[in-house]
Amino acid sequence: MSMFQIFSISGSAVSAQSQRLNTVASNLANADTVAGPDGKAYKARQVVFQTLPLGNAAQDDGAAGVKVTQVTEDATPGRRVHAPAHPQADAEGYVTYSNVNAVQEMVDMISASRSYQNNVEVMNTAKTLLLKTLQMGL
């Protein structure tokens, strides 16, 4: 593996974690939303990753790293609250809220943020090593 592949691998991980952070932000922004006129509440979304090993012949560009394969919706039913006076209440007087768990989303955000930071640190370390290698040749 060449030193330059490290940038490609870490760069793909940074990109994937960035998409994960955006998904978490969207989930948190919709944590307390109620069902719309169609009766469906916001569903929490999760990012699914796939690793791309080195030397994988099935890949077109031969790149290794990580990629986002899909963004899935959580099938857990939304929280129902009895509030007959609410304008979005159904015929039984219940309001359906999104199924977003704010605590779990905060944990995911911290995890994604740390993964992002670690991959940036890998790129910075590789850059420093390449610069030191160039200085040795002078």
Side-chain angles (χ1 to χ4, degrees), residues 6-18:
I6 292 172
F7 293 107
S8 175
I9 293 168
S10 288
S12 71
V14 164
S15 177
Q17 292 302 332
S18 176

Side-chain angles (χ1 to χ4, degrees), residues 98-112:
S98 70
N99 65 350
V100 175
N101 180 341
V103 173
Q104 182 61 44
E105 294 300 326
M106 293 300 291
V107 170
D108 285 347
M109 181 174 53
I110 291 168
S111 173

Side-chain angles (χ1 to χ4, degrees), residues 9-30:
I9 293 168
S10 288
S12 71
V14 164
S15 177
Q17 292 302 332
S18 176
Q19 188 168 352
R20 182 178 171 201
L21 283 167
N22 286 335
T23 303
V24 168
S26 178
N27 287 344
L28 285 171
N30 289 289

Side-chain angles (χ1 to χ4, degrees), residues 128-138:
T128 301
L129 290 173
L130 284 170
L131 288 173
K132 288 189 185 253
T133 302
L134 287 173
Q135 289 174 352
M136 286 175 40
L138 298 177

Side-chain angles (χ1 to χ4, degrees), residues 54-102:
L54 279 172
N56 187 356
Q59 294 169 227
D60 295 335
D61 57 1
V66 114
K67 74 173 185 176
V68 174
T69 56
Q70 64 181 340
V71 179
T72 61
E73 280 190 355
D74 187 355
T76 307
R79 179 174 48 102
R80 290 181 48 128
V81 176
H82 189 262
H86 194 283
Q88 299 292 63
D90 61 12
E92 298 171 357
Y94 285 94
V95 177
T96 304
Y97 286 85
S98 70
N99 65 350
V100 175
N101 180 341

